Amino acid sequence: MKKGLLFAAFLLLLGLPACDRGFEEVNRNPLEPTEVYYEAIFNELVNSLRLGWNRQLFLHNEMLYDLTELGAVTASTFGNIDAGVEEIWSNYYGALKNARELKIVLNELAAADPEATDLVEAQVDILMAYKTFQMLDFFGDIPYSEAAQAYAETAVVRPVYDDDREIYLGLLNDLRTASELLATAPSNTEAGNPYLDLGNFDALLGDDRGRWVKFANSMRLRYLLRIYELETSLVESEIGQLIVDGAPFLGEGEDIQMLPAEQGWSDLGVNWSFREHNRLRMGTTLWNFLTEDGTILDPRAPIFFETNTAEEWVPFPQVAPAGTPQSGGAPYNKDGRDNVYDNKGEENIYSSFNFYLVRDEQDIPEVLFSAAEVKFLLAEVFLRGIGTAKDESIASFRYREGMLISINFWKALVSNSAIWENQDNAIGAIQPFDVTGHPRYQFVFGAPEVDNLRKIYTQRWVDYFRQPWEAFSLLRQTDLLPREKPSNNFFRFKYPVSETSFNFENWSAQVARMGGDETNIKVWWME
Amino acid sequence: MARLQLRGLLVGLALLLVATLTSAQVEIQGTIKDKNTAEALFGATVLDLDSEAGTTTGLDGEFSLRVAELPARIRVSYVGYLDLEMTVAGQLPIELYLESDAVQLGDVVVTGLGIKRQKRELGYSTDNVSGEQLALSNAPNVINALSGRSAGVQVVSPNGVDGGTTRIVIRGNNNLTGNNQPLIIVDGVPIENPPGLTDIGRGVDWGSAINNINAEDIQDVSILKGPTASAKYGMRGANGVVLITTKKGAVTKGLGVEYIFTTKVITPFRYRKVQNKYGAGGPISLSEPAFETNADGELVYPRDVHSNNGPFGRPPTAQFGFYSPRVSRAPEMRGQMVRWWDGELRDYSPQPDNLQQFFQNGTTNTHNIALSKGGEFGSIRTSLTYQDHEAVVPNSNFEQYTANIGSQLKISDRVGAELSISYIKFSRKNSPSLGDDNNASFGKGILYSWPRSYKGLERALNINPDGTRYNYDGNYPFQFTPQHLWWNTFNQNTYLDRNKFIGSVGLNYQVTDWLVATARTGIDYTTNEFETRNNPVDLFGINEARYARELDQNIVHNSEALITATKRNAFDLFDVSLSLGGARWHREQYGLNASTDQWVNPWLFAFSNYSGQDLNRIPVAQEIRFEKKINSVFSFLNLSYDNTIFLELSGRNDWSSALPVDNNSYFYPSASLSYVLSEHLNLERLPVDFLKLRLAYAKTANDTDPYQLDFVYNINTFNGNQTASLPNTRPPSELRPQQADSYEAGLTIGLFDSKINVDFTYYQIESYDQILESPVPTSSGVSAVQLNNGVLENRGFECAINYNVLSKPNGYLKAGLNFSSNQNTVVSLGDGAQILEIGDIWGDFGPKIMVQEGQAYGTIYGYDYVRHEGTGQPILNEAGTHYQITDNLVPVGNSAPRLIGGFTLQGRYKNFTFSALVDTRIGGEIYAGSYVIGLQTGQSPETLAEREGNGLPYTDPDGVTRNVGVILPGVYADGTPNDKVVHYYHKYLPNAGGWGKILTTPGILENTWVKMREFSINYDFPSKITSKLRILQNLNLSLVGRDLFYFYSALPDNINPEGAGGAGNAQGLEWASFPSMRSISFRLAAKF
């Protein structure tokens, strides 16, 4: 009996006391941090600027190139737009969540001197404005004010939709504030503290405040011009101010772009997106514009495209008559062509996009905002006299400058690419000045405004060759672009399935407000 | 802390030893045997009724007991036998025979923590399967062998090959998202049994850990159903427990050596039915399919069916959703000569065997040698097993060595010890990719990518004479599909090396005749090492090469101690027993893995081999960590009255390290009552001779995975610097344990002299505070939020009927039938969550396993027809070509079966024994992806009807009328029936795949089947013969067929009804499954 009791007591001693001693330590997450540098969150925002794979395949290559006639889809598409849309949606709201978090972290960090975080916040605002404008142009109204608040103290997981015009105008306001702040900030805050900065965590612009200002101003120019007809007085006053102030814009060599080699990543998605569908080819619209009677006029043509297997330049008809043969072969197949460049496949009967442009994972940038575009935007401002006096000579100068910058930009890609071996002779042989002097390109003084505007828009369109989403916006903004196809009333993308499935009430309310979730509903600035 | 507790335990065990030094004056000795068989009874209790001193018998049934004086009154008791009381007058060794207690239905069961109890006493449901039965069935693993043998136990072996994962669920799913499989205990050690594959859609299945448990070493398996088991094993036992006891040796005649050889041949046999008339080519026009010709006028192998200028004015993919161009809708294969894609001229003829080209017969050979000895000291058994397996797919095999030692030691009259050690070395080369894996899945290739004219040229072509990979040029017609499958199969190898050690030691100390103390400590130690070597494809020895290595170490320690005080005949007819115990469980996992695929040096499989061009692809070791501790104390009180009414009460408190400090302690009680009514009711007029009522209630609680309490960032690198991001799933604001209340009522009836025994159980389990991830729109910034208050309910019944048909001296015949049904309802997802996603293959673009409040677990969601309100008919467009499809995913089926069951027949005639097992699943649905894709690709025989002119007259755009038309059943928006004849393409093409919004409903089929699971025949050589060979004690031969055939399957075209992917909670999606496979084994067992 005694022994039994002894044993029982022993067991109790063994088991009972401190049954959870040390448990907290055991359960501490050993792999992920609870605190991070604010710069690391910013770095993630820049990282999120890389183009998604599905977006490139399903939206760019299968739809937007064909729609904007920068290319032609020669055989049927997967048509899985949802996958691309879903990717854009989660990329954007993931970034918005992190941007909101970054501001909270910054505010906590600089509780004593809130002003110290102003400049980083301005950079965040500029970056997020860039992403948000794209969302608005793709979809129209989107969840915004309540969006990406899942981690907020009063978490919202099913956000309402906001009016795209209000967001648009808000962003323009943010951009003005941000650029002014960055342009004018003294070296210390009023309290005498240095401003927080990003140092080498700014993979986009190297924490160069001047370039952030230029990026913001250039963006303002683009989006103000987009809404000129609807918000004329606002646009005139804003642009007028920019011109009067001599505000800095992106200049040659200051393109905003993601650079795989410099940023230490490989752009694997671009080749995948071409390889996977494999049916995107050169179309007649862009080919006809860049050539004359089959002779290459513009050195960008053999940079954008290459000959077919038979080494001929054959565009696919943008509007293909019945019986037009399809394209086959595998001109984007890196397995096949890395070793044998000419291995494009027998059935590759049309000119494809240039293999190197979509194969080089290292040295071909993803362009976010080109310096050339800025020149075209300024050309439009002066041609039309928006917020400033009409001035054909400035317009002409900026226009020509834009073309030269663009041609040089694309030519530089070829020389910068380590793997670009097989160059078409036209690239080196054709001098940019000769191209800009061609009547098709040349600004005509005294000609009707619309004729010169058509040229400016068309050059912007050409320069958008790897920014088909911007070409899509431009196409909706004007009817002055070269086209062979009739309009198909494709004005926006439908909301993703994740919204209809998991945000059904707000989505339904939004759809009711818009009169449907169809692609022929115009975004606000088209109205 | 760990070391301290272990040391404490050892001190405790030492104390036990010291305490044995007791003394008395007179010693009586004897042997206890079974009255019928005269077999010695090990572990019987012998009690001196005067002094209450007692002892237990050793392996040979012998005992010695010191008593105060002679004559002494003793009582002998043994579970399953009637007590025997007698007076011993002298000191001569006595021989006592115990009579088995027939009304107890003969069964003694292990109920956990090593406690053996009469089945008569239990207030809850258990089942037993003997090791002999397991070994004989030669199933791929121990769990597979349980299929159909126990009511309420559902065993699913997902699509794959031997050595793959097995899912076992007892009484339905009780966790919305967590693990629903029971706890597996080997000799008191809880085994980690992570499923090798949970992804329903794709993956490589490396198999469950249970595969490594050697069937030849198993003594028996007990199945404890329902949460009542968790009183003994805590939260980890909440889904039930499978208790495996290994062999510990016995007193044997002869040398005590046993040799067993088993050879098994596995044959894939039930291939999908396909047509063999029409080959590659697709819907490029509505006219009669025709070959294109080349400049020389030769027929050209059809290449692409995509077209902007297709028959529909739009590309067919835009019309029907994505499908592979490799459909079999071209002209008839008549042996005509066709210019193939590689430039060769070949005949275009049927390839009836092209589904089989990837498969071969598999073999498994097992050698087992065991040495067993028993004696004064106890018993010991040691065995060595070697198994090698060649898979049914090429370039895949495994082998396993198992060394096992099991022993029961009699240290003194009062102290016994049990020891069990297994060391397992398992090596496996490759396991096939399953489902939707583009690079390596033959299931996908066969179903989806290759037409009926496919000759499989790639197998020979895949490698060039110089060892490089064959490069298909741009004319290769299958470029959307995995062109390098054969290369990948032979040149991308992954090797798994597993070392596993399971050991336990237990001590049993009879402190006094009324007090027993037991203690046990055990370890399950596993290391896995994966090495992947993808050979370079080029002469440089660099391109597309990859090297990856993963090392993973998993350690589970478990220690427990229990003291039990028993008082018999207290207050006259009452027996009382009280147990107190404690347990400690600790699991630690650590893994490292890295890979490199940007090589600089040819053929150098090493992490140092990288170019560093892409900072994100520099081999950086990823870590896997897991650590959790659970401490427990528990107590059981057993009361019995007159051996007729039994009450068991238990209480347990667990502390889990995975929960917040203020929520980490939780108590749960259980109670069970069993009443042998036949003792008190007058049943004389009825054929009933045994009647027992059972009632049980149990509460259980469960924790979650560790590391969920801290608010963390996900970190990565970009531009050489860290990136930080908030996770995509928002953690819950607080965590508390998941809980369940379960109720069970049962009836056991013995009829006609217990010839027929019926056991019926009804149960209900309510699980609440469930931890789950609920999807939210990504516009919230996250894709899911974690919640902690879901509620789900399971209710159902289990019934087992056993019939001793015949019992004669030279034979017997027994039949058994068991069946069960479980109904599940998700009562609430909590916190306003709208939907719970459990699994999918193609994201939002195809069928998903999801659930909403009020629905049953396993609901299949998909895009459904929009039906006309008045007629209920699906609505078509005015042209009669297209159905309207719902905007969103809606419920279209449920994968849970309505009934599962098994029928067994066992018999012996003289030296022959046989056993047969039929198991069945009735009701419930499956999304049979192979079915709809078979229709779409034109592979399915069903698609021949219209092509052979049995359709309605249809005039194509060229004005040609052929009998290839169909009227799609349905109505127009106004409710009038569709009467338009359209091309049959509209019937077959649109409903397959997970690419955009495509109708799911046509793929939802009932999945009922009845299967001949097992048939074995066994011959024992008569001792007349064996005794002539003096050394041989026993020789036994058996032949076993497993998974032999289906008596019935509701799925068409021989689609594998058990071919659903993965062993996760998502069940019910089939896609590109392998054919059914059967095995025939021959087994020889010889004892020397």
Side-chain angles (χ1 to χ4, degrees), chain A residues 413-433:
Chain A
L413 287 195
V414 178
S415 47
N416 290 342
S417 165
I419 64 163
W420 202 310
E421 284 172 0
N422 295 276
Q423 285 184 36
D424 191 279
N425 291 336
I427 298 175
I430 302 171
Q431 290 311 306
F433 287 103

Side-chain angles (χ1 to χ4, degrees), chain A residues 1 4 7 10 19 27 32-33 76-78 82 97-98 101 148 150-151 200 264 266 279 326 335 346-347 499, chain B residues 8 303-304 306 315 317 322 475 514-515 544 563 614-615 631 707 713-714 718 721 726-727 730 779 781 845:
Chain A
M1 184 77 188
F7 189 74
F10 163 72
C19 274
N27 201 37
E32 287 173 311
S76 77
T77 64
F78 296 144
D82 286 342
K97 165 188 70 184
N98 289 326
E101 172 69 6
Y151 278 93
N200 58 359
S266 297
R279 294 298 194 251
Q326 308 161 37
D335 298 347
E346 200 182 302
E347 290 209 323
E499 283 294 306
Chain B
R303 287 197 181 115
D304 201 335
H306 291 291
T317 45
F322 175 72
N475 298 319
W514 57 270
L515 189 68
E544 293 186 48
I563 52 170
D614 182 340
L615 294 178
N631 290 336
Y707 315 139
Y713 294 90
N714 294 150
F718 177 69
N721 286 316
L726 287 174
R730 195 198 64 194
S779 52
F845 307 119

Side-chain angles (χ1 to χ4, degrees), chain B residues 384-429:
Chain B
L384 275 172
T385 308
Y386 171 72
Q387 184 173 64
D388 77 300
H389 171 84
E390 194 72 38
V392 292
V393 294
N395 202 31
S396 170
N397 56 48
F398 62 75
E399 62 175 13
Q400 177 171 312
Y401 297 87
T402 310
N404 180 270
I405 297 174
S407 174
Q408 275 176 332
L409 293 171
K410 189 178 160 187
I411 293 166
S412 78
D413 289 345
R414 292 175 174 276
V415 179
E418 203 173 79
L419 179 78
S420 151
I421 299 169
S422 287
Y423 168 73
I424 295 147
K425 179 159 179 55
F426 175 74
S427 316
R428 179 166 190 171
K429 181 185 187 188

Side-chain angles (χ1 to χ4, degrees), chain A residues 358-518:
Chain A
V358 299
R359 171 65 183 96
D360 189 338
E361 297 158 2
Q362 288 292 312
D363 297 323
I364 304 293
E366 284 181 1
V367 183
L368 308 185
F369 209 117
S370 75
E373 180 184 349
V374 176
K375 304 299 176 191
F376 297 131
L377 295 170
L378 287 169
E380 181 181 349
V381 166
F382 284 100
L383 178 71
R384 298 170 75 184
I386 297 170
T388 182
K390 283 191 185 199
D391 189 329
E392 282 201 333
S393 64
I394 300 180
S396 154
F397 179 75
R398 292 292 177 220
Y399 168 63
R400 185 157 167 277
E401 204 182 11
M403 287 190 288
L404 291 172
I405 290 175
S406 176
I407 294 167
N408 285 329
F409 172 87
W410 289 100
K411 286 180 71 166
L413 287 195
V414 178
S415 47
N416 290 342
S417 165
I419 64 163
W420 202 310
E421 284 172 0
N422 295 276
Q423 285 184 36
D424 191 279
N425 291 336
I427 298 175
I430 302 171
Q431 290 311 306
F433 287 103
D434 298 339
V435 186
T436 57
H438 189 277
R440 188 184 295 162
Y441 285 45
Q442 204 168 31
F443 191 94
V444 180
F445 286 90
E449 185 182 293
V450 68
D451 290 352
N452 284 321
L453 193 57
R454 185 190 310 277
K455 288 179 174 168
I456 296 169
Y457 281 153
T458 302
Q459 286 300 329
R460 223 172 118 185
W461 168 73
V462 174
D463 187 59
Y464 280 149
F465 187 67
R466 291 296 287 133
Q467 292 166 269
W469 65 93
E470 277 312 318
F472 174 49
S473 287
L474 185 60
L475 177 68
R476 289 176 290 167
Q477 191 186 324
T478 176
D479 53 7
L480 297 176
L481 296 181
R483 285 193 73 70
E484 292 178 17
K485 290 177 176 227
S487 168
N488 65 354
N489 295 333
F490 187 95
F491 300 140
R492 65 179 281 279
F493 287 97
K494 292 167 82 164
Y495 295 121
V497 177
S498 62
E499 283 294 306
T500 54
S501 296
F502 307 127
N503 198 15
F504 187 73
E505 280 170 29
N506 293 318
W507 174 82
S508 303
Q510 169 61 20
V511 169
R513 206 161 34 237
M514 276 195 321
D517 184 13
E518 298 310 314

